[in-house]
């Protein structure tokens, strides 16, 4: 990673206070162009992810409140520069580290020490350094697909004040008319916002299931509805066990969960038995639940994809699919009833963001667990000797979006042999035979190029055991070789011998 | 906090900062006499003292300290 940490006072120096809007824009465009040049240079030279820090506003008022109306007032210059720079960064796939926003949250004096600036041109003061490091790490983690995916909520004294089992529907504190009720409402609204941006919501509560669900159905002030919750568990079992069930049911890892509970005993219990689950130390005061969750940065993102926008609807559709599965006589019957279709093609420019996200986030259906940055993937997709494929799966309940990607690269010196470098598939579409249809497509695409065979590796990890039998199930044969240290197995397939696998997935494009 | 306490704290801070347990500061120690106590680590030292004791040095002070004793004296004055 290359992180550009630049001081604003250098960037805006030389713009006189009498400058017009046009002159200000010109000066700022010049700055942004220079940055663009730096980003490209950094990327070319180091082949690394480039992160640009927003400019801290450590300026002082010149006119006072009227500053806001003077285009060249220092605070306006920095605001404008940050706006223009952020847009440029997005168009260049440069990631942002928004220290400007962070400093608005806890005050510029917590970040910028004037003495340190004069002594050492140090813009981020030492006390802010740990937070700065944390913010930078979040961006990198998000890029590596390590952000959390699911918010698991306790109910009593977390989503509302009081205990539903004791206080009843009329007794719990929620909604207008009570400060505490409004605080809980604000927390629900925040959870709903997270849901809208693609975070999965779940409930894990010690309650009778019917009593707990009744609040969602019948309390007029509830912002969260039962349908917002993708996995709802209310019983008297150990919460750590229930969290495991939630992870299994949603088909995500335990390390993708954030567990929010007002009860310190439950928090301690979960931390102890499931250290991979993130458990924020919720403050006693419900008014501070939202900032506690928000400032922890669990759900840090580097993009907002179509799939993110649709995720909530997809999880709702999953519930409907489960209902269909329950009413189907056989799995075959169920798959036929889904009326699936796949569209596919090479990984194009428009697929890059989602394909990168998928490659970096997928741990289960991922035989090699290789990670690529957006730039690296763009280069792989552009190389004419490679075959890249992306698959979108539709069914009668929803458009699942881009759910699988494949990168095949020729063996050096053996252009007629393609190595399956990477193959990932979203866990949302497990069990639909998409891997069979994908292999059918890959074999066709490669045969057209005169490729004779595929080679592939399965490198076992803690998480990809679910596909340990993937290649033999698709007709690949094991390659004899000395036992490698990582437990990897090697597989090959002669395309001439490949038997096309029948599936219930129709093709919608070629 | 006596001046000796402050001096002991300074020794602890500078040992941590430079990862060197052999350092023992005296009132007469000058920065140049301590290996690796360069200008960057001087700023880090000042920041550590500020965080540890909740004091704040002025820019003029920081430039004028001749020896450790001067920093102790200024710290002691700020704590009073």
């Amino acid at each position: 990673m290359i992180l550009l940490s630049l001081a604003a006072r250098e960037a805006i120096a030389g713009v006189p206070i009498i400058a017009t809007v046009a002159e200000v824009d010109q000066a700022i465009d010049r700055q942004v162009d220079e940055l663009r040049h730096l980003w490209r240079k950094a990327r070319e030279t180091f082949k690394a992810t480039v992160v640009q820090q927003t400019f801290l506003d450590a300026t002082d008022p010149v006119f006072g409140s009227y500053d806001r109306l003077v285009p060249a007032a220092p605070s306006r210059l920095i605001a404008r520069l940050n706006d223009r720079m952020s847009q440029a960064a997005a168009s260049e796939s440069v990631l942002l580290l928004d220290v400007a926003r962070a400093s608005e949250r806890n005050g510029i004096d917590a970040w910028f020490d004037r003495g340190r600036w004069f002594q050492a041109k140090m813009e981020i003061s030492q006390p802010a350094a740990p937070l700065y490091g944390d913010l930078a790490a979040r961006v990198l983690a998000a890029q590596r697909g390590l952000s959390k995916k699911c918010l698991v909520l306790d109910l009593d004294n977390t989503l509302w004040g009081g205990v539903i089992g004791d206080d009843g529907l009329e007794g719990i504190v929620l909604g207008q008319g009570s400060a505490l009720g409004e605080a809980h409402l604000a927390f629900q609204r925040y959870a709903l916002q997270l849901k809208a941006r693609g975070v999965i919501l779940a409930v894990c509560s010690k309650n009778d299931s019917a009593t707990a669900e009744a609040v969602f159905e019948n309390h007029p002030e509830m912002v969260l509805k039962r349908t917002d919750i993708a996995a709802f568990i209310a019983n008297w079992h150990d919460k750590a066990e229930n969290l495991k069930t939630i992870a299994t049911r949603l088909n995500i890892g335990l390390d993708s969960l954030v567990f929010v509970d007002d009860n310190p005993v439950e928090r301690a219990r979960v931390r102890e038995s499931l250290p991979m689950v993130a458990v924020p130390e919720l403050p006693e005061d419900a008014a501070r639940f939202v900032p506690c969750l928000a400032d922890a940065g669990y759900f840090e993102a580097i993009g907002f994809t179509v799939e993110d926008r649709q995720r909530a609807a997809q999880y709702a559709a999953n519930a409907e699919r489960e209902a269909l599965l329950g009413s189907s006589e056989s799995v075959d019957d169920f798959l036929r009833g889904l009326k699936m279709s796949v569209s596919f093609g090479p990984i194009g420019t428009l697929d890059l963001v989602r394909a990168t996200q998928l490659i970096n986030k997928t741990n289960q259906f991922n035989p090699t667990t290789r990670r690529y940055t957006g730039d690296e993937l763009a280069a792989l997709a552009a190389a004419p000797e490679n075959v890249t494929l992306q698959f979108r799966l539709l069914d009668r309940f929803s458009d699942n979006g881009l759910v699988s990607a494949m990168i095949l690269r020729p063996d050096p010196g053996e252009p007629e042999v393609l190595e399956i470098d990477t193959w990932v598939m979203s866990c949302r579409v497990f069990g639909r035979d998409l891997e069979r249809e994908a292999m059918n497509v890959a074999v066709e695409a490669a045969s057209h190029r005169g490729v004779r065979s595929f080679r592939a590796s399965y490198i076992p990890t803690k998480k990809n055991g679910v596909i340990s039998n993937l290649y033999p199930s698709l007709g690949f044969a094991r390659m004899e070789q000395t036992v490698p240290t990582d437990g990897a197995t090697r597989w090959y397939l002669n395309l001439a011998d490949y038997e096309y696998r029948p599936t219930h997935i129709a093709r919608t494009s070629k | 906090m006596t001046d000796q306490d402050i001096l002991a704290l300074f020794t602890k801070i500078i040992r941590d900062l430079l990862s060197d347990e052999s350092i023992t500061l005296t009132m007469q120690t000058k920065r140049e006499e301590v290996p690796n106590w360069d200008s960057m680590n001087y700023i880090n030292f000042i920041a550590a003292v500020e965080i540890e004791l909740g004091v704040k040095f002025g820019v003029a002070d920081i430039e004028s300290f001749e020896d450790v004793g001067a920093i102790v004296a200024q710290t002691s004055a700020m704590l009073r």
Side-chain angles (χ1 to χ4, degrees), chain A residues 198-209:
Chain A
V199 173
I200 310 164
L201 299 186
V203 160
C204 179
S205 162
K206 282 191 174 156
N207 259 309
D208 283 327
S209 193

Side-chain angles (χ1 to χ4, degrees), chain B residues 9-39:
Chain B
L9 176 69
F10 283 11
T11 294
K12 183 180 169 305
I13 289 174
I14 201 68
R15 284 178 175 182
D16 281 355
L17 209 55
L18 302 180
S19 303
D20 184 349
E21 290 298 314
S22 72
I23 303 170
T24 300
L25 299 178
T26 69
M27 293 297 186
Q28 288 73 41
T29 306
K30 290 184 187 310
R31 183 156 66 79
E32 305 78 54
E33 297 163 10
V34 179
N36 299 320
W37 199 4
D38 56 18
S39 59

Side-chain angles (χ1 to χ4, degrees), chain A residues 113 115-116 119 122 126-127, chain B residues 40 43-44 46-47 50 56 62:
Chain A
D113 180 322
R116 292 296 109 80
Q119 286 149 17
M122 186 182 276
Q126 286 100 335
Chain B
M40 187 66 213
I43 298 291
N44 285 334
I46 292 292
E50 289 180 347
K56 197 80 196 153
I62 297 171

Side-chain angles (χ1 to χ4, degrees), chain A residues 60-115:
Chain A
D60 298 294
V62 178
F63 296 92
S65 297
Y66 190 72
D67 272 0
R68 207 167 269 281
L69 294 166
V70 179
S75 59
R76 298 312 302 156
L77 286 176
I78 291 174
R80 187 103 180 103
L81 179 58
N82 277 334
D83 277 355
R84 297 294 278 257
M85 183 199 68
S86 302
Q87 285 163 8
S91 72
E92 302 270 335
S93 299
V94 164
L95 304 181
L96 286 177
L97 172 60
D98 198 357
V99 291
R101 170 81 170 121
S103 74
E104 280 169 16
R105 243 174 127 61
N106 56 358
I108 190 66
D109 288 341
W111 284 81
F112 181 76
D113 180 322
R114 287 154 200 272

Side-chain angles (χ1 to χ4, degrees), chain A residues 47 144 371-381:
Chain A
K47 309 263 178 274
R144 291 280 151 187
R371 310 298 195 194
Y372 292 114
T373 63
D375 294 329
E376 288 165 342
L377 184 61
L380 286 166

Side-chain angles (χ1 to χ4, degrees), chain A residues 478-490:
Chain A
R478 177 101 184 245
M479 283 165 76
E480 294 300 326
Q481 59 166 93
T482 50
V483 180
T485 47
D486 54 3
T489 49
R490 295 280 292 154

